[in-house]
Amino acid sequence: MRNVMEDVVKRMVNELKASAADPCGCDLCQEDVMVYALNRLQPHYVVTLKGEVLSKLEMNADQSRADVAIAIMEGYEAVGASPRCGRRSATKS
């Protein structure tokens, strides 16, 4: 059993990193962005390969990709405002 939403979020986090305002590239911040997004998105649990393929196809629909992208960009904003890695936040001068 696995949540294929994790695969989708992980891939899109890497795709959207360049679009985020002043993203921190450390592993801790990247994982925090993923956790932020995953906690706001509906999970898609599968057991079989067929279920995984069907779920990934469904999640590649425009609206699903948009929902994932919004959750990730909000994650970058939240993590950037209060990074746990010790880096100064992007909002502070």
Side-chain angles (χ1 to χ4, degrees):
M1 179 173 57
R2 54 188 249 127
N3 180 5
V4 294
M5 182 61 81
E6 289 182 37
D7 299 334
V8 173
V9 168
K10 187 178 290 187
R11 186 182 72 242
M12 287 188 70
V13 160
N14 291 326
E15 291 173 10
L16 294 173
K17 185 177 177 180
S19 301
D22 193 34
C24 179
C26 78
D27 290 342
L28 180 61
C29 286
Q30 293 302 297
E31 287 179 359
D32 284 348
V33 170
M34 286 179 47
V35 168
Y36 182 97
L38 286 167
N39 281 329
R40 283 152 183 81
L41 295 166
Q42 183 176 2
H44 287 265
Y45 290 100
V46 297
V47 176
T48 65
L49 179 60
K50 180 179 179 180
E52 181 177 345
V53 170
L54 291 174
S55 287
K56 285 184 178 180
L57 284 173
E58 178 186 316
M59 288 186 283
N60 277 327
D62 289 342
Q63 186 60 51
S64 294
R65 285 185 56 82
D67 293 342
V68 173
I70 288 168
I72 291 170
M73 294 309 287
E74 289 174 350
Y76 271 117
E77 187 175 308
V79 171
S82 185
R84 291 189 311 135
C85 67
R87 179 177 182 254
R88 290 184 58 183
S89 89
T91 58
K92 295 180 183 174
S93 295

